[in-house]
């Protein structure tokens, strides 16, 4: 009798310890999924739409993301900047954030998406021990952002198939990439959440007559497609010229690569194939994504310093330089801002009737000098009707 | 959508099996193991992870 009671008591104690552990983890997961990221609409933002304005099938889902529209008084071209395709590549979202909060359009139209795959911003890599969030220091305090993952949250799209067959090419891709927004272009209206999201953005590109779509990313240093502009064949000249101009004028080097014609599902291939827009994808270096990294914490995410990756570089395993100074977030955000501006300036020189004139966006050197946070605005002092939450 | 619901039902069923094994277990090492492996099932059922 005493033995039975002891066993029962032991099970209760173990179960309570398990519940405590689960609560501890569960509260953390819940908080990060529901963390609100404020966006202070800059003077240049004239309208805020949602992806469901272009495709009703995404209405009410977590991926019905905002589309920030900045319009100049003079008609011109239209450029779409896509941030948050892979939220675990934070420089992409932060660069898009800077455009939304600061850019002033004199001519043309700029469309910005900060969370292209909003579902993927609400989870971190399973088993990856990633930090759930990170904070960018600003003159008015810190602004917290969700860390995010490369793939849509399984809470929003589950289960994965054994094999992912891309639509419409029928190319076989890794099973997990059915939740990867940069493997599901051009999407379809009756597909998975991730496919529907791509379909909605494709509809946006068509309806808004987008001339150039720029998808922002970061890459590990052990991946050959890094520090580069990947261009669909319809944008090769523009990308090559931008690469030359940036390397000469902006203070950093960036290459240019052709989008492989047989590799499907990626924005630089499918947007160009399925719409009239020029499709470009930008890659900046992010050491935290490297497999040989050390501790995966907020410092690595923001400072980009890691002795193990430095060592990998000494063994010739990297496709980008890496030293003790690392790749801080300001450098990565600055690269994206300058590259976007250079692309738009070169486009505008060649297409006067479809030009865009953008002011008040910092470039690479200014962002390094002042920090990314200097260009984020304080939601506490902004009018409530000029704040959105991602 | 239907497949997703079926997977949630399957997850609930397996969670119940693990709880049943926990109740029936006589070894403390197995009890700890059952509690650990139960967590991801419950986190998914409660839509937390």
């Amino acid at each position: 009798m005493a033995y039975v009671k002891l066993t029962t008591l032991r099970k209760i104690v173990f179960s309570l310890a398990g519940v405590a552990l689960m609560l501890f983890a569960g509260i953390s997961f819940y908080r990060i999924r529901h963390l609100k990221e404020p966006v202070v609409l800059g003077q240049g933002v004239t309208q805020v739409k949602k992806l469901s304005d272009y495709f009703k099938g995404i209405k009410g889902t977590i991926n019905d993301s905002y589309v920030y529209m900045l319009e100049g008084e003079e008609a011109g071209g239209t450029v779409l900047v896509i941030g948050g395709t892979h939220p675990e590549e934070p420089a992409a979202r932060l660069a898009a954030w800077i455009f939304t909060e600061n850019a002033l359009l004199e001519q043309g139209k700029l469309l910005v998406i900060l969370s292209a795959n909003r579902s993927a911003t609400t989870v971190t890599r399973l088993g990856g021990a990633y930090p759930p969030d990170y904070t960018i220091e600003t003159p008015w305090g810190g602004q917290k952002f969700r860390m995010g993952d490369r793939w849509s949250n399984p809470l929003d799209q589950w289960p994965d198939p054994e094999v992912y067959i891309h639509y419409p090419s029928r190319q076989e891709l890794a099973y997990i990439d059915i939740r990867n927004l940069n493997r599901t272009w051009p999407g379809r209206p009756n597909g998975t959440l991730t496919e529907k999201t791509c379909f909605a953005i494709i509809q946006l590109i068509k309806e808004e007559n987008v001339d150039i779509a720029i998808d922002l990313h970061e890459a590990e240093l052990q991946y050959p497609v890094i520090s580069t502009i990947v261009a669909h064949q319809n944008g090769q000249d523009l990308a090559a010229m931008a690469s030359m101009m940036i390397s000469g004028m902006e203070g950093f080097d960036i290459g240019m690569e052709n989008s492989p014609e047989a590799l499907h599902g990626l924005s630089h291939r499918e947007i160009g194939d399925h719409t009239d827009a020029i499709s470009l994808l930008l890659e900046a270096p992010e050491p935290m994504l490297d497999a040989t990294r050390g501790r995966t914490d907020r410092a690595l995410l923001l400072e980009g310093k890691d002795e193990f990756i430095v060592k990998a570089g000494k063994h010739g395993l990297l496709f980008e330089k890496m030293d003790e100074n690392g790749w801080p977030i300001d450098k990565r955000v600055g690269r994206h801002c300058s590259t976007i501006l250079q692309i738009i300036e070169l486009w505008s020189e060649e297409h006067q009737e479809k030009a865009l004139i953008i002011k008040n966006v910092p470039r690479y050197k200014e962002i390094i000098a002042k920090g990314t946070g200097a260009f984020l605005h304080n939601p506490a002092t902004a009018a409530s009707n000029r704040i959105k939450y991602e | 959508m239907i497949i997703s619901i079926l997977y949630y039902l399957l997850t609930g069923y397996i969670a119940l099996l693990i709880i049943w094994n926990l109740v029936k277990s006589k070894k403390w090492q197995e009890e700890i193991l059952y509690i650990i492996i139960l967590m991801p099932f419950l986190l998914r059922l409660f839509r937390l992870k």
Side-chain angles (χ1 to χ4, degrees), chain A residues 334-355:
Chain A
R335 288 177 68 98
H336 277 335
C337 287
S338 271
T339 307
I340 295 168
L341 290 171
Q342 279 287 353
I343 288 167
I344 291 174
E345 286 161 10
L346 288 164
W347 162 266
S348 300
E349 280 176 24
E350 294 290 319
H351 303 82
Q352 298 286 325
E353 76 291 353
K354 288 208 158 200

mmCIF file with all atom_site columns, all heavy atoms in Angstrom, chain A residues 334-355:
data_model
loop_
_atom_site.group_PDB
_atom_site.id
_atom_site.type_symbol
_atom_site.label_atom_id
_atom_site.label_alt_id
_atom_site.label_comp_id
_atom_site.label_asym_id
_atom_site.label_entity_id
_atom_site.label_seq_id
_atom_site.pdbx_PDB_ins_code
_atom_site.Cartn_x
_atom_site.Cartn_y
_atom_site.Cartn_z
_atom_site.occupancy
_atom_site.B_iso_or_equiv
_atom_site.pdbx_formal_charge
_atom_site.auth_seq_id
_atom_site.auth_comp_id
_atom_site.auth_asym_id
_atom_site.auth_atom_id
_atom_site.pdbx_PDB_model_num
ATOM 1   N N   . GLY A 1 334 ? 22.821 48.573 -44.116 1.00 0.00 ? 334 GLY A N   1
ATOM 2   C CA  . GLY A 1 334 ? 23.336 49.620 -45.008 1.00 0.00 ? 334 GLY A CA  1
ATOM 3   C C   . GLY A 1 334 ? 23.548 49.118 -46.423 1.00 0.00 ? 334 GLY A C   1
ATOM 4   O O   . GLY A 1 334 ? 23.259 49.825 -47.399 1.00 0.00 ? 334 GLY A O   1
ATOM 5   N N   . ARG A 1 335 ? 24.050 47.896 -46.544 1.00 0.00 ? 335 ARG A N   1
ATOM 6   C CA  . ARG A 1 335 ? 24.251 47.312 -47.889 1.00 0.00 ? 335 ARG A CA  1
ATOM 7   C C   . ARG A 1 335 ? 22.924 47.257 -48.638 1.00 0.00 ? 335 ARG A C   1
ATOM 8   O O   . ARG A 1 335 ? 22.847 47.633 -49.815 1.00 0.00 ? 335 ARG A O   1
ATOM 9   C CB  . ARG A 1 335 ? 24.831 45.887 -47.771 1.00 0.00 ? 335 ARG A CB  1
ATOM 10  C CG  . ARG A 1 335 ? 26.263 45.818 -47.324 1.00 0.00 ? 335 ARG A CG  1
ATOM 11  C CD  . ARG A 1 335 ? 26.697 44.365 -47.168 1.00 0.00 ? 335 ARG A CD  1
ATOM 12  N NE  . ARG A 1 335 ? 26.765 43.692 -48.453 1.00 0.00 ? 335 ARG A NE  1
ATOM 13  C CZ  . ARG A 1 335 ? 27.887 43.522 -49.153 1.00 0.00 ? 335 ARG A CZ  1
ATOM 14  N NH1 . ARG A 1 335 ? 29.035 43.936 -48.664 1.00 0.00 ? 335 ARG A NH1 1
ATOM 15  N NH2 . ARG A 1 335 ? 27.867 42.910 -50.317 1.00 0.00 ? 335 ARG A NH2 1
ATOM 16  N N   . HIS A 1 336 ? 21.893 46.777 -47.961 1.00 0.00 ? 336 HIS A N   1
ATOM 17  C CA  . HIS A 1 336 ? 20.594 46.652 -48.632 1.00 0.00 ? 336 HIS A CA  1
ATOM 18  C C   . HIS A 1 336 ? 20.049 48.019 -49.036 1.00 0.00 ? 336 HIS A C   1
ATOM 19  O O   . HIS A 1 336 ? 19.562 48.206 -50.157 1.00 0.00 ? 336 HIS A O   1
ATOM 20  C CB  . HIS A 1 336 ? 19.594 45.937 -47.718 1.00 0.00 ? 336 HIS A CB  1
ATOM 21  C CG  . HIS A 1 336 ? 19.700 44.435 -47.752 1.00 0.00 ? 336 HIS A CG  1
ATOM 22  N ND1 . HIS A 1 336 ? 20.204 43.748 -48.826 1.00 0.00 ? 336 HIS A ND1 1
ATOM 23  C CD2 . HIS A 1 336 ? 19.365 43.491 -46.843 1.00 0.00 ? 336 HIS A CD2 1
ATOM 24  C CE1 . HIS A 1 336 ? 20.167 42.451 -48.581 1.00 0.00 ? 336 HIS A CE1 1
ATOM 25  N NE2 . HIS A 1 336 ? 19.661 42.263 -47.381 1.00 0.00 ? 336 HIS A NE2 1
ATOM 26  N N   . CYS A 1 337 ? 20.148 49.002 -48.118 1.00 0.00 ? 337 CYS A N   1
ATOM 27  C CA  . CYS A 1 337 ? 19.586 50.327 -48.433 1.00 0.00 ? 337 CYS A CA  1
ATOM 28  C C   . CYS A 1 337 ? 20.301 50.937 -49.637 1.00 0.00 ? 337 CYS A C   1
ATOM 29  O O   . CYS A 1 337 ? 19.653 51.440 -50.567 1.00 0.00 ? 337 CYS A O   1
ATOM 30  C CB  . CYS A 1 337 ? 19.700 51.251 -47.219 1.00 0.00 ? 337 CYS A CB  1
ATOM 31  S SG  . CYS A 1 337 ? 18.531 50.834 -45.911 1.00 0.00 ? 337 CYS A SG  1
ATOM 32  N N   . SER A 1 338 ? 21.638 50.899 -49.612 1.00 0.00 ? 338 SER A N   1
ATOM 33  C CA  . SER A 1 338 ? 22.391 51.494 -50.729 1.00 0.00 ? 338 SER A CA  1
ATOM 34  C C   . SER A 1 338 ? 22.122 50.751 -52.039 1.00 0.00 ? 338 SER A C   1
ATOM 35  O O   . SER A 1 338 ? 22.025 51.371 -53.103 1.00 0.00 ? 338 SER A O   1
ATOM 36  C CB  . SER A 1 338 ? 23.897 51.455 -50.437 1.00 0.00 ? 338 SER A CB  1
ATOM 37  O OG  . SER A 1 338 ? 24.275 52.619 -49.756 1.00 0.00 ? 338 SER A OG  1
ATOM 38  N N   . THR A 1 339 ? 22.032 49.442 -51.972 1.00 0.00 ? 339 THR A N   1
ATOM 39  C CA  . THR A 1 339 ? 21.818 48.665 -53.206 1.00 0.00 ? 339 THR A CA  1
ATOM 40  C C   . THR A 1 339 ? 20.450 48.985 -53.810 1.00 0.00 ? 339 THR A C   1
ATOM 41  O O   . THR A 1 339 ? 20.332 49.180 -55.032 1.00 0.00 ? 339 THR A O   1
ATOM 42  C CB  . THR A 1 339 ? 21.949 47.149 -52.932 1.00 0.00 ? 339 THR A CB  1
ATOM 43  O OG1 . THR A 1 339 ? 23.199 46.904 -52.283 1.00 0.00 ? 339 THR A OG1 1
ATOM 44  C CG2 . THR A 1 339 ? 21.882 46.342 -54.210 1.00 0.00 ? 339 THR A CG2 1
ATOM 45  N N   . ILE A 1 340 ? 19.436 49.059 -52.960 1.00 0.00 ? 340 ILE A N   1
ATOM 46  C CA  . ILE A 1 340 ? 18.091 49.407 -53.477 1.00 0.00 ? 340 ILE A CA  1
ATOM 47  C C   . ILE A 1 340 ? 18.130 50.794 -54.127 1.00 0.00 ? 340 ILE A C   1
ATOM 48  O O   . ILE A 1 340 ? 17.617 50.997 -55.240 1.00 0.00 ? 340 ILE A O   1
ATOM 49  C CB  . ILE A 1 340 ? 17.044 49.380 -52.331 1.00 0.00 ? 340 ILE A CB  1
ATOM 50  C CG1 . ILE A 1 340 ? 16.876 47.963 -51.788 1.00 0.00 ? 340 ILE A CG1 1
ATOM 51  C CG2 . ILE A 1 340 ? 15.697 49.923 -52.812 1.00 0.00 ? 340 ILE A CG2 1
ATOM 52  C CD1 . ILE A 1 340 ? 16.097 47.899 -50.474 1.00 0.00 ? 340 ILE A CD1 1
ATOM 53  N N   . LEU A 1 341 ? 18.753 51.738 -53.426 1.00 0.00 ? 341 LEU A N   1
ATOM 54  C CA  . LEU A 1 341 ? 18.794 53.113 -53.959 1.00 0.00 ? 341 LEU A CA  1
ATOM 55  C C   . LEU A 1 341 ? 19.546 53.167 -55.289 1.00 0.00 ? 341 LEU A C   1
ATOM 56  O O   . LEU A 1 341 ? 19.108 53.829 -56.238 1.00 0.00 ? 341 LEU A O   1
ATOM 57  C CB  . LEU A 1 341 ? 19.435 54.055 -52.934 1.00 0.00 ? 341 LEU A CB  1
ATOM 58  C CG  . LEU A 1 341 ? 18.587 54.331 -51.683 1.00 0.00 ? 341 LEU A CG  1
ATOM 59  C CD1 . LEU A 1 341 ? 19.396 55.093 -50.636 1.00 0.00 ? 341 LEU A CD1 1
ATOM 60  C CD2 . LEU A 1 341 ? 17.317 55.103 -52.032 1.00 0.00 ? 341 LEU A CD2 1
ATOM 61  N N   . GLN A 1 342 ? 20.672 52.458 -55.364 1.00 0.00 ? 342 GLN A N   1
ATOM 62  C CA  . GLN A 1 342 ? 21.449 52.453 -56.609 1.00 0.00 ? 342 GLN A CA  1
ATOM 63  C C   . GLN A 1 342 ? 20.642 51.838 -57.758 1.00 0.00 ? 342 GLN A C   1
ATOM 64  O O   . GLN A 1 342 ? 20.658 52.350 -58.884 1.00 0.00 ? 342 GLN A O   1
ATOM 65  C CB  . GLN A 1 342 ? 22.752 51.670 -56.432 1.00 0.00 ? 342 GLN A CB  1
ATOM 66  C CG  . GLN A 1 342 ? 23.868 52.450 -55.769 1.00 0.00 ? 342 GLN A CG  1
ATOM 67  C CD  . GLN A 1 342 ? 24.488 53.509 -56.682 1.00 0.00 ? 342 GLN A CD  1
ATOM 68  O OE1 . GLN A 1 342 ? 24.170 53.584 -57.877 1.00 0.00 ? 342 GLN A OE1 1
ATOM 69  N NE2 . GLN A 1 342 ? 25.344 54.353 -56.128 1.00 0.00 ? 342 GLN A NE2 1
ATOM 70  N N   . ILE A 1 343 ? 19.956 50.748 -57.475 1.00 0.00 ? 343 ILE A N   1
ATOM 71  C CA  . ILE A 1 343 ? 19.147 50.099 -58.520 1.00 0.00 ? 343 ILE A CA  1
ATOM 72  C C   . ILE A 1 343 ? 18.085 51.073 -59.022 1.00 0.00 ? 343 ILE A C   1
ATOM 73  O O   . ILE A 1 343 ? 17.887 51.235 -60.243 1.00 0.00 ? 343 ILE A O   1
ATOM 74  C CB  . ILE A 1 343 ? 18.497 48.803 -57.968 1.00 0.00 ? 343 ILE A CB  1
ATOM 75  C CG1 . ILE A 1 343 ? 19.561 47.713 -57.786 1.00 0.00 ? 343 ILE A CG1 1
ATOM 76  C CG2 . ILE A 1 343 ? 17.379 48.305 -58.887 1.00 0.00 ? 343 ILE A CG2 1
ATOM 77  C CD1 . ILE A 1 343 ? 19.092 46.523 -56.959 1.00 0.00 ? 343 ILE A CD1 1
ATOM 78  N N   . ILE A 1 344 ? 17.415 51.738 -58.092 1.00 0.00 ? 344 ILE A N   1
ATOM 79  C CA  . ILE A 1 344 ? 16.342 52.667 -58.490 1.00 0.00 ? 344 ILE A CA  1
ATOM 80  C C   . ILE A 1 344 ? 16.914 53.863 -59.245 1.00 0.00 ? 344 ILE A C   1
ATOM 81  O O   . ILE A 1 344 ? 16.346 54.323 -60.254 1.00 0.00 ? 344 ILE A O   1
ATOM 82  C CB  . ILE A 1 344 ? 15.545 53.107 -57.239 1.00 0.00 ? 344 ILE A CB  1
ATOM 83  C CG1 . ILE A 1 344 ? 14.741 51.917 -56.692 1.00 0.00 ? 344 ILE A CG1 1
ATOM 84  C CG2 . ILE A 1 344 ? 14.627 54.283 -57.552 1.00 0.00 ? 344 ILE A CG2 1
ATOM 85  C CD1 . ILE A 1 344 ? 14.019 52.176 -55.388 1.00 0.00 ? 344 ILE A CD1 1
ATOM 86  N N   . GLU A 1 345 ? 18.045 54.376 -58.809 1.00 0.00 ? 345 GLU A N   1
ATOM 87  C CA  . GLU A 1 345 ? 18.654 55.529 -59.489 1.00 0.00 ? 345 GLU A CA  1
ATOM 88  C C   . GLU A 1 345 ? 19.076 55.164 -60.922 1.00 0.00 ? 345 GLU A C   1
ATOM 89  O O   . GLU A 1 345 ? 18.856 55.926 -61.856 1.00 0.00 ? 345 GLU A O   1
ATOM 90  C CB  . GLU A 1 345 ? 19.846 56.035 -58.681 1.00 0.00 ? 345 GLU A CB  1
ATOM 91  C CG  . GLU A 1 345 ? 19.419 56.795 -57.425 1.00 0.00 ? 345 GLU A CG  1
ATOM 92  C CD  . GLU A 1 345 ? 20.521 56.925 -56.377 1.00 0.00 ? 345 GLU A CD  1
ATOM 93  O OE1 . GLU A 1 345 ? 21.675 56.585 -56.691 1.00 0.00 ? 345 GLU A OE1 1
ATOM 94  O OE2 . GLU A 1 345 ? 20.204 57.346 -55.251 1.00 0.00 ? 345 GLU A OE2 1
ATOM 95  N N   . LEU A 1 346 ? 19.672 53.992 -61.065 1.00 0.00 ? 346 LEU A N   1
ATOM 96  C CA  . LEU A 1 346 ? 20.097 53.564 -62.412 1.00 0.00 ? 346 LEU A CA  1
ATOM 97  C C   . LEU A 1 346 ? 18.886 53.330 -63.316 1.00 0.00 ? 346 LEU A C   1
ATOM 98  O O   . LEU A 1 346 ? 18.888 53.694 -64.493 1.00 0.00 ? 346 LEU A O   1
ATOM 99  C CB  . LEU A 1 346 ? 20.935 52.290 -62.310 1.00 0.00 ? 346 LEU A CB  1
ATOM 100 C CG  . LEU A 1 346 ? 22.335 52.507 -61.737 1.00 0.00 ? 346 LEU A CG  1
ATOM 101 C CD1 . LEU A 1 346 ? 22.946 51.180 -61.307 1.00 0.00 ? 346 LEU A CD1 1
ATOM 102 C CD2 . LEU A 1 346 ? 23.233 53.186 -62.773 1.00 0.00 ? 346 LEU A CD2 1
ATOM 103 N N   . TRP A 1 347 ? 17.859 52.696 -62.758 1.00 0.00 ? 347 TRP A N   1
ATOM 104 C CA  . TRP A 1 347 ? 16.619 52.475 -63.516 1.00 0.00 ? 347 TRP A CA  1
ATOM 105 C C   . TRP A 1 347 ? 16.040 53.816 -63.974 1.00 0.00 ? 347 TRP A C   1
ATOM 106 O O   . TRP A 1 347 ? 15.632 53.978 -65.132 1.00 0.00 ? 347 TRP A O   1
ATOM 107 C CB  . TRP A 1 347 ? 15.620 51.717 -62.646 1.00 0.00 ? 347 TRP A CB  1
ATOM 108 C CG  . TRP A 1 347 ? 14.194 51.783 -63.108 1.00 0.00 ? 347 TRP A CG  1
ATOM 109 C CD1 . TRP A 1 347 ? 13.241 52.674 -62.688 1.00 0.00 ? 347 TRP A CD1 1
ATOM 110 C CD2 . TRP A 1 347 ? 13.556 50.971 -64.101 1.00 0.00 ? 347 TRP A CD2 1
ATOM 111 N NE1 . TRP A 1 347 ? 12.057 52.447 -63.333 1.00 0.00 ? 347 TRP A NE1 1
ATOM 112 C CE2 . TRP A 1 347 ? 12.216 51.409 -64.207 1.00 0.00 ? 347 TRP A CE2 1
ATOM 113 C CE3 . TRP A 1 347 ? 13.978 49.909 -64.902 1.00 0.00 ? 347 TRP A CE3 1
ATOM 114 C CZ2 . TRP A 1 347 ? 11.303 50.826 -65.079 1.00 0.00 ? 347 TRP A CZ2 1
ATOM 115 C CZ3 . TRP A 1 347 ? 13.063 49.326 -65.766 1.00 0.00 ? 347 TRP A CZ3 1
ATOM 116 C CH2 . TRP A 1 347 ? 11.755 49.777 -65.852 1.00 0.00 ? 347 TRP A CH2 1
ATOM 117 N N   . SER A 1 348 ? 16.014 54.773 -63.055 1.00 0.00 ? 348 SER A N   1
ATOM 118 C CA  . SER A 1 348 ? 15.388 56.068 -63.338 1.00 0.00 ? 348 SER A CA  1
ATOM 119 C C   . SER A 1 348 ? 16.154 56.843 -64.410 1.00 0.00 ? 348 SER A C   1
ATOM 120 O O   . SER A 1 348 ? 15.552 57.555 -65.217 1.00 0.00 ? 348 SER A O   1
ATOM 121 C CB  . SER A 1 348 ? 15.293 56.894 -62.047 1.00 0.00 ? 348 SER A CB  1
ATOM 122 O OG  . SER A 1 348 ? 14.506 56.196 -61.097 1.00 0.00 ? 348 SER A OG  1
ATOM 123 N N   . GLU A 1 349 ? 17.476 56.705 -64.405 1.00 0.00 ? 349 GLU A N   1
ATOM 124 C CA  . GLU A 1 349 ? 18.277 57.381 -65.437 1.00 0.00 ? 349 GLU A CA  1
ATOM 125 C C   . GLU A 1 349 ? 17.924 56.871 -66.832 1.00 0.00 ? 349 GLU A C   1
ATOM 126 O O   . GLU A 1 349 ? 17.872 57.628 -67.798 1.00 0.00 ? 349 GLU A O   1
ATOM 127 C CB  . GLU A 1 349 ? 19.774 57.137 -65.191 1.00 0.00 ? 349 GLU A CB  1
ATOM 128 C CG  . GLU A 1 349 ? 20.364 58.045 -64.126 1.00 0.00 ? 349 GLU A CG  1
ATOM 129 C CD  . GLU A 1 349 ? 21.820 57.700 -63.844 1.00 0.00 ? 349 GLU A CD  1
ATOM 130 O OE1 . GLU A 1 349 ? 22.488 57.126 -64.724 1.00 0.00 ? 349 GLU A OE1 1
ATOM 131 O OE2 . GLU A 1 349 ? 22.268 57.987 -62.715 1.00 0.00 ? 349 GLU A OE2 1
ATOM 132 N N   . GLU A 1 350 ? 17.659 55.572 -66.922 1.00 0.00 ? 350 GLU A N   1
ATOM 133 C CA  . GLU A 1 350 ? 17.385 54.955 -68.225 1.00 0.00 ? 350 GLU A CA  1
ATOM 134 C C   . GLU A 1 350 ? 15.912 55.030 -68.633 1.00 0.00 ? 350 GLU A C   1
ATOM 135 O O   . GLU A 1 350 ? 15.589 54.837 -69.790 1.00 0.00 ? 350 GLU A O   1
ATOM 136 C CB  . GLU A 1 350 ? 17.798 53.469 -68.187 1.00 0.00 ? 350 GLU A CB  1
ATOM 137 C CG  . GLU A 1 350 ? 19.294 53.239 -68.025 1.00 0.00 ? 350 GLU A CG  1
ATOM 138 C CD  . GLU A 1 350 ? 20.071 53.637 -69.272 1.00 0.00 ? 350 GLU A CD  1
ATOM 139 O OE1 . GLU A 1 350 ? 19.595 53.345 -70.376 1.00 0.00 ? 350 GLU A OE1 1
ATOM 140 O OE2 . GLU A 1 350 ? 21.143 54.264 -69.119 1.00 0.00 ? 350 GLU A OE2 1
ATOM 141 N N   . HIS A 1 351 ? 15.032 55.262 -67.643 1.00 0.00 ? 351 HIS A N   1
ATOM 142 C CA  . HIS A 1 351 ? 13.585 55.259 -67.922 1.00 0.00 ? 351 HIS A CA  1
ATOM 143 C C   . HIS A 1 351 ? 12.957 56.515 -67.321 1.00 0.00 ? 351 HIS A C   1
ATOM 144 O O   . HIS A 1 351 ? 12.310 56.454 -66.272 1.00 0.00 ? 351 HIS A O   1
ATOM 145 C CB  . HIS A 1 351 ? 12.917 54.011 -67.334 1.00 0.00 ? 351 HIS A CB  1
ATOM 146 C CG  . HIS A 1 351 ? 13.504 52.729 -67.813 1.00 0.00 ? 351 HIS A CG  1
ATOM 147 N ND1 . HIS A 1 351 ? 14.643 52.178 -67.278 1.00 0.00 ? 351 HIS A ND1 1
ATOM 148 C CD2 . HIS A 1 351 ? 13.105 51.880 -68.794 1.00 0.00 ? 351 HIS A CD2 1
ATOM 149 C CE1 . HIS A 1 351 ? 14.929 51.047 -67.902 1.00 0.00 ? 351 HIS A CE1 1
ATOM 150 N NE2 . HIS A 1 351 ? 14.007 50.835 -68.834 1.00 0.00 ? 351 HIS A NE2 1
ATOM 151 N N   . GLN A 1 352 ? 13.161 57.639 -67.988 1.00 0.00 ? 352 GLN A N   1
ATOM 152 C CA  . GLN A 1 352 ? 12.706 58.937 -67.449 1.00 0.00 ? 352 GLN A CA  1
ATOM 153 C C   . GLN A 1 352 ? 11.200 58.945 -67.158 1.00 0.00 ? 352 GLN A C   1
ATOM 154 O O   . GLN A 1 352 ? 10.763 59.492 -66.148 1.00 0.00 ? 352 GLN A O   1
ATOM 155 C CB  . GLN A 1 352 ? 13.039 60.056 -68.444 1.00 0.00 ? 352 GLN A CB  1
ATOM 156 C CG  . GLN A 1 352 ? 14.528 60.220 -68.721 1.00 0.00 ? 352 GLN A CG  1
ATOM 157 C CD  . GLN A 1 352 ? 15.262 60.881 -67.572 1.00 0.00 ? 352 GLN A CD  1
ATOM 158 O OE1 . GLN A 1 352 ? 14.706 61.741 -66.910 1.00 0.00 ? 352 GLN A OE1 1
ATOM 159 N NE2 . GLN A 1 352 ? 16.508 60.481 -67.333 1.00 0.00 ? 352 GLN A NE2 1
ATOM 160 N N   . GLU A 1 353 ? 10.413 58.313 -68.040 1.00 0.00 ? 353 GLU A N   1
ATOM 161 C CA  . GLU A 1 353 ? 8.948  58.334 -67.858 1.00 0.00 ? 353 GLU A CA  1
ATOM 162 C C   . GLU A 1 353 ? 8.508  57.401 -66.733 1.00 0.00 ? 353 GLU A C   1
ATOM 163 O O   . GLU A 1 353 ? 7.402  57.510 -66.228 1.00 0.00 ? 353 GLU A O   1
ATOM 164 C CB  . GLU A 1 353 ? 8.248  57.983 -69.179 1.00 0.00 ? 353 GLU A CB  1
ATOM 165 C CG  . GLU A 1 353 ? 8.251  56.524 -69.589 1.00 0.00 ? 353 GLU A CG  1
ATOM 166 C CD  . GLU A 1 353 ? 9.614  55.935 -69.993 1.00 0.00 ? 353 GLU A CD  1
ATOM 167 O OE1 . GLU A 1 353 ? 10.626 56.690 -70.088 1.00 0.00 ? 353 GLU A OE1 1
ATOM 168 O OE2 . GLU A 1 353 ? 9.677  54.730 -70.193 1.00 0.00 ? 353 GLU A OE2 1
ATOM 169 N N   . LYS A 1 354 ? 9.390  56.475 -66.357 1.00 0.00 ? 354 LYS A N   1
ATOM 170 C CA  . LYS A 1 354 ? 9.060  55.541 -65.272 1.00 0.00 ? 354 LYS A CA  1
ATOM 171 C C   . LYS A 1 354 ? 10.071 55.686 -64.135 1.00 0.00 ? 354 LYS A C   1
ATOM 172 O O   . LYS A 1 354 ? 10.433 54.703 -63.478 1.00 0.00 ? 354 LYS A O   1
ATOM 173 C CB  . LYS A 1 354 ? 9.067  54.112 -65.801 1.00 0.00 ? 354 LYS A CB  1
ATOM 174 C CG  . LYS A 1 354 ? 7.885  53.806 -66.708 1.00 0.00 ? 354 LYS A CG  1
ATOM 175 C CD  . LYS A 1 354 ? 7.554  52.348 -66.652 1.00 0.00 ? 354 LYS A CD  1
ATOM 176 C CE  . LYS A 1 354 ? 6.134  52.110 -67.072 1.00 0.00 ? 354 LYS A CE  1
ATOM 177 N NZ  . LYS A 1 354 ? 5.608  50.854 -66.615 1.00 0.00 ? 354 LYS A NZ  1
ATOM 178 N N   . ALA A 1 355 ? 10.500 56.909 -63.921 1.00 0.00 ? 355 ALA A N   1
ATOM 179 C CA  . ALA A 1 355 ? 11.525 57.139 -62.898 1.00 0.00 ? 355 ALA A CA  1
ATOM 180 C C   . ALA A 1 355 ? 10.917 57.157 -61.500 1.00 0.00 ? 355 ALA A C   1
ATOM 181 O O   . ALA A 1 355 ? 9.713  57.351 -61.328 1.00 0.00 ? 355 ALA A O   1
ATOM 182 C CB  . ALA A 1 355 ? 12.224 58.463 -63.174 1.00 0.00 ? 355 ALA A CB  1
#
